Amino acid sequence: QVQLVESGGGLVQAGGSLRLSCTASGRFFSIDVKGWYRQAPGKQRELVASITRRRGTINYADSVKGRFTISRDNAKNTVYLQMNSLKPEDTAVYYCNAEIATTRWEQTSDYWGQGTQVTVSS
């Protein structure tokens, strides 16, 4: 069974940094990680950063521009989110989102990871 797995979350003081990783476990034919989202308590899930596979076109939420960097390693089927200058308002569960084809004959399906908690203390 294919699963999307995030890692790298944790507790950090304001101004600190964390690096999140997103990859897939299990057997699959292709994976295209679309981006990172986050959801704070009582709030809707929001897009943090996105990246396209072919051209590497990147978009960021205004709230994280200049502080967060999304990147991908296609050879490792992994997408990273480098988070610098973290603020308490960045506290949330961070999720990655991907389209995965389990075999070459199937269309891709949308996958979400279980999320990784990021807590920024003031």
Side-chain angles (χ1 to χ4, degrees):
Q1 184 176 358
V2 177
Q3 290 184 319
L4 206 55
V5 180
E6 303 102 334
S7 62
L11 173 63
V12 64
Q13 289 187 335
S17 299
L18 286 173
R19 188 194 194 203
L20 306 183
S21 300
C22 173
T23 190
S25 64
R27 297 185 65 178
F28 56 92
F29 174 71
S30 69
I31 179 173
D32 182 7
V33 179
K34 312 297 285 186
W36 288 92
Y37 292 73
R38 68 185 180 187
Q39 188 167 19
K43 294 187 177 181
Q44 290 188 335
R45 189 172 297 187
E46 62 174 353
L47 177 66
V48 176
S50 64
I51 184 169
T52 62
R53 181 176 178 85
R54 290 188 177 182
R55 294 190 176 185
T57 302
I58 292 173
N59 286 291
Y60 295 102
D62 288 341
S63 59
V64 307
K65 283 181 181 177
R67 301 187 298 120
F68 289 12
T69 302
I70 189 171
S71 61
R72 69 189 313 144
D73 184 335
N74 289 335
K76 295 182 179 180
N77 290 318
T78 300
V79 172
Y80 305 96
L81 185 67
Q82 178 66 44
M83 307 186 294
N84 299 328
S85 302
L86 283 161
K87 304 175 181 180
E89 50 264 44
D90 294 318
T91 296
V93 178
Y94 284 71
Y95 300 88
C96 65
N97 172 241
E99 291 184 350
I100 299 174
T102 54
T103 70
R104 64 187 305 167
W105 299 281
E106 294 182 358
Q107 291 184 340
T108 59
S109 297
D110 195 51
Y111 282 76
W112 290 88
Q114 81 290 348
T116 185
Q117 177 70 47
V118 171
T119 303
V120 184
S121 63
S122 57

